[in-house]
Amino acid sequence: MAFLSSFLLDPSNDPVIDVLVDSYVWDLSGSSTITWALADGLNPEHVWDDPASAIQTFSAALASIQQFIDVEFDYLGDFNSPVAAGQAGADIVYTLDNTEVDDGTLAYAYYPGPEPFTNPEQYATEGGDVFMNFSNELVAASSFQPGSDGFYTVIHEIGHALGLKHPFDGSPGRPTLDELDQTLVRDLDWFTMMSYSDQYEDELERWDPATPMILDVLGLQYLYGVNTSTNAGDSTLALTSQDFYYTIWDASGTDRADASGQSEGWTIFLPDFAPSTALETLTGFALPSSQFDNTLVDSAPTEMIWLMGDIENATGSRFNDWINGNEFDNNLRGGDGDDELEGYAGNDVIDGNGGIDLAYFSGDNSSFTMTISADAITVQDRRADGGGTDTLRNIEIVEFYTDSDRQTLDLQQFGGPASLTGADLQSFVELYIAYFNRAPDALGLNFWGTAFANGTTLPEMASLFIGQPETSATYPEGLSNDAFATAVYNNVLGRVPDQDGFDFWVGVLNSGAVGRDQFILAVLEGAKADPQEDATPEFIAQQLADRTYLADKTDIGALYAVHRGMSDVDNATAVMSIFNGSNSSLSEAVAAVDSFYAEALDAETGAFLMPVVGVLDNPFDPIA
């Protein structure tokens, strides 16, 4: 007699499970092995034309299922009838029923048995047996290759033999698929191999499931446990184009879904959703981007790969990809195309590689700190339940998004200061002091630093600064050259000009030899220049005092914008207005910066921070 018996299972009260799992299940309490056999039909005229091909097909179908569940399918042999196979110990028998029927039956199967069956229809061990009707033209003409209607029919019937029902069949405690949330799943073959609905029903040799689909995997794993051997260890999971739908299951290890061999852009969502409360199995998917219509249920793919289990990393194609991470620490790599990548939770590495690539972050940018260094850019989500800290490489654009707003930052315009020298970055801080009489804002400072890194010279920047509204506010239109020179000395050096210097510069301004833009720059450069050899002690003392004043002011500005990464212009003006050259005012200005920074760090009510590290030393915070 058949080796195993079965038992009845109550509903799980999880609709994702109960939509496919019926009440019959093989009892594997004593063994995880289910035996199977090939057999000719009950009618002596029903014999396999090619038993070897039939064995190969059924073995491949069982293997496509075994990779997901804690079951071993053991081939018992080839018999002349399913009765003989059952008596020899076969639990599942692949057999024939070639009776002509008018209802279009391709095949049928019985739920697991023999118990609790008490009134078998044909013979005592029929529970779990699969019958193929080769009198049906669709079955007779099939190649039984993965993706064909024939192979799909075989794995569908094995699903019944293992205890799965149709998604359109309901019973007490077990819903139909149409009763579930149709924004997530639909009664289609690429959601479950137990469906009768096919978006490409005229395609008989392609575009059908070749493995269990998402709902099938969940149902079977609920019944029989997970296969802990499939893709155990560190695996590279190639996303290959096939003429069928399939599921990749990864049991453990650090793994990579790899679309690098694809000939078009792909959309990849690494497993990040546990559809069933009864299982920990995470689910994601991958398909050509051209076949993804914003949501799965609105799509009609000809290529579809379910990704299930713990898959941490992904590699895109050389085309435009959309790659999404999950709760793990992901390593996401784009290719040569213009890719869109998002890490979600975890501390991720996001590398766009070639092209113009965009990294997404969920949340208002006021909850984030973007730290720029020579090695990489990191984006920290400061919220306790946020997305961790991600490292960006070869990313040109960053976008922060909420349900109502999107905030885009072009790193091609703002991400370059880390490549500068400390002296260069310091010179931009000085420009803000001299032209706007305030600390820089981090966004503006990064913009000008990037422009400099891309070839804009300091004199060119000075010309651009003079036309800014803030410069006009600091040095109003109509200001005489005398008053202008006095104001510049006060902002840059904190004093009235000495008479000789005043007479010289006003004369230069009056003659038109130097414009006001370059005059400000010249005063900055003069304050930092070494005194001439014949300079008087009084001149040298004054120059050293000027240099100290400008350095302190620059340090305040750098603390605010470079080291703390703040961008609020009003606060930038406030901290600089505190400093008057005294040591006490310097301490007060630093304390004000730290106070504003503490407020800015609040993940809910704070501000977007954009510090630059590794370029300028911070004299106020040696451990920073």
Side-chain angles (χ1 to χ4, degrees):
M1 297 293 289
F3 177 63
L4 296 174
S5 62
S6 64
F7 60 90
L8 291 175
L9 194 68
D10 292 331
S12 70
N13 296 318
D14 181 343
V16 174
I17 298 298
D18 294 331
V19 74
L20 285 187
V21 170
D22 215 328
S23 53
Y24 298 96
V25 58
W26 291 107
D27 183 357
L28 300 184
S29 59
S31 172
S32 61
T33 298
I34 297 176
T35 60
W36 70 277
L38 185 76
D40 294 329
L42 290 170
N43 188 323
E45 297 179 358
H46 297 165
V47 297
W48 290 98
D49 291 336
D50 187 349
S53 293
I55 292 170
Q56 184 178 23
T57 296
F58 206 68
S59 179
L62 290 172
S64 77
I65 295 172
Q66 179 176 310
Q67 62 181 314
F68 302 101
I69 57 177
D70 187 21
V71 170
E72 182 177 349
F73 295 105
D74 186 21
Y75 176 60
L76 198 61
D78 181 1
F79 297 86
N80 61 9
S81 78
V83 175
Q87 290 176 341
D91 302 309
I92 297 176
V93 180
Y94 187 40
T95 186
L96 296 167
D97 185 344
N98 289 349
T99 304
E100 292 283 355
V101 292
D102 297 327
D103 60 4
T105 298
L106 305 179
Y108 63 93
Y110 291 97
Y111 285 140
E115 298 294 340
F117 287 111
T118 56
N119 296 304
E121 292 182 331
Q122 301 181 82
Y123 52 93
T125 61
E126 67 188 9
D129 291 354
V130 174
F131 292 80
M132 299 296 295
N133 181 13
F134 278 84
S135 294
N136 187 294
E137 292 182 0
L138 294 180
V139 174
S142 179
S143 68
F144 287 92
Q145 293 301 306
S148 67
D149 267 23
F151 193 82
Y152 174 35
T153 299
V154 173
I155 60 173
H156 173 104
E157 299 305 335
I158 295 174
H160 287 314
L162 293 172
L164 300 185
K165 69 179 182 68
H166 297 128
F168 49 80
D169 290 335
S171 62
R174 293 182 167 91
T176 67
L177 192 52
D178 286 341
E179 294 171 344
L180 301 189
D181 185 351
Q182 296 300 294
T183 64
L184 299 177
V185 291
R186 290 177 60 192
D187 188 354
L188 290 169
D189 58 354
W190 50 277
F191 285 100
T192 168
M193 66 184 183
M194 306 311 294
S195 177
Y196 278 8
S197 300
D198 184 350
Q199 289 170 305
Y200 302 102
E201 60 183 10
D202 294 333
E203 294 285 349
L204 303 181
E205 285 296 316
R206 60 180 183 171
W207 304 346
D208 283 317
T211 71
M213 299 284 94
I214 172 177
L215 294 177
D216 312 310
V217 172
L218 294 171
L220 292 168
Q221 288 187 340
Y222 176 77
L223 291 176
Y224 300 109
V226 302
N227 188 323
T228 59
S229 298
T230 302
N231 292 317
D234 299 345
S235 306
T236 297
L237 310 168
L239 306 182
T240 59
S241 292
Q242 303 289 349
D243 284 336
F244 50 75
Y245 311 127
Y246 64 100
T247 302
I248 293 176
W249 161 248
D250 184 88
S252 60
T254 301
D255 314 289
R256 179 172 296 277
D258 186 359
S260 60
Q262 287 295 336
S263 58
E264 61 177 307
W266 270 58
T267 292
I268 302 171
F269 279 79
L270 292 179
D272 197 38
F273 173 56
S276 169
T277 58
L279 293 167
E280 296 180 355
T281 298
L282 298 175
T283 298
F285 61 89
L287 75 171
S289 296
S290 62
Q291 300 182 30
F292 183 54
D293 192 12
N294 293 319
T295 65
L296 280 180
V297 294
D298 293 326
S299 303
T302 59
E303 295 181 59
M304 174 69 191
I305 306 171
W306 290 105
L307 304 174
M308 304 186 73
D310 299 341
I311 304 174
E312 297 82 4
N313 307 316
T315 298
S317 71
R318 63 184 186 276
F319 305 96
N320 301 342
D321 302 305
W322 183 18
I323 304 176
N324 299 269
N326 53 24
E327 65 185 37
F328 303 112
D329 293 342
N330 305 130
N331 183 299
L332 308 180
R333 300 176 191 162
D336 290 335
D338 300 338
D339 304 310
E340 300 176 38
L341 308 100
E342 183 167 3
Y344 296 103
N347 299 324
D348 309 308
V349 175
I350 300 175
D351 190 341
N353 284 316
I356 304 300
D357 304 303
L358 186 154
Y360 289 108
F361 294 89
S362 176
D364 190 273
N365 67 5
S366 61
S367 297
F368 290 83
T369 297
M370 176 182 290
T371 302
I372 298 175
S373 70
D375 296 329
I377 294 175
T378 62
V379 180
Q380 176 195 8
D381 188 341
R382 301 193 304 270
R383 295 171 294 182
D385 59 348
T389 300
D390 294 349
T391 300
L392 306 185
R393 296 193 176 98
N394 302 304
I395 294 293
E396 286 72 31
I397 302 171
V398 169
E399 184 169 291
F400 302 92
Y401 68 92
T402 65
D403 291 339
S404 59
D405 189 30
R406 290 184 176 271
Q407 301 150 326
T408 301
L409 185 66
D410 188 344
L411 296 181
Q412 298 171 105
Q413 294 182 333
F414 292 91
S419 65
L420 303 177
T421 66
D424 288 335
L425 190 55
Q426 197 170 29
S427 67
F428 308 139
V429 177
E430 294 166 353
L431 288 181
Y432 274 85
I433 294 168
Y435 287 78
F436 301 157
N437 195 28
R438 65 169 172 87
D441 57 289
L443 281 170
L445 187 69
N446 278 272
F447 173 82
W448 291 110
T450 303
F452 184 84
N454 291 334
T456 302
T457 66
L458 206 58
E460 288 172 336
M461 286 187 191
S463 297
L464 293 169
F465 265 59
I466 200 69
Q468 298 295 315
E470 280 192 89
T471 308
S472 298
T474 305
Y475 308 104
E477 186 177 354
L479 202 65
S480 68
N481 285 336
D482 290 25
F484 177 74
T486 300
V488 171
Y489 264 78
N490 184 61
N491 289 339
V492 176
L493 306 178
R495 63 177 176 88
V496 298
D498 57 280
Q499 192 62 47
D500 289 343
F502 178 79
D503 293 341
F504 171 79
W505 284 116
V506 171
V508 170
L509 287 170
N510 287 336
S511 70
V514 173
R516 290 190 174 187
D517 54 344
Q518 302 305 313
F519 167 73
I520 298 176
L521 188 60
V523 172
L524 284 170
E525 292 173 345
K528 296 183 292 182
D530 292 331
Q532 296 180 359
E533 291 182 0
D534 59 351
T536 66
E538 292 79 12
F539 182 89
I540 294 173
Q542 183 60 67
Q543 190 164 34
L544 291 175
D546 290 344
R547 187 177 298 178
T548 299
Y549 181 88
L550 179 59
D552 286 345
K553 219 169 183 182
T554 302
D555 287 341
I556 295 169
L559 179 66
Y560 184 86
V562 177
H563 306 300
R564 302 297 188 243
M566 294 185 285
S567 294
D568 187 286
V569 173
D570 291 338
N571 292 345
T573 301
V575 297
M576 197 59 72
S577 67
I578 296 172
F579 180 68
N580 61 16
S582 67
N583 289 335
S584 60
S585 68
L586 177 62
S587 298
E588 290 172 9
V590 171
V593 171
D594 288 340
S595 177
F596 287 133
Y597 182 60
E599 294 175 1
L601 281 175
D602 189 285
E604 302 300 330
T605 62
F608 176 61
L609 301 175
M610 198 175 185
V612 177
V613 301
V615 178
L616 274 179
D617 292 333
N618 180 1
F620 306 113
D621 188 8
I623 64 172

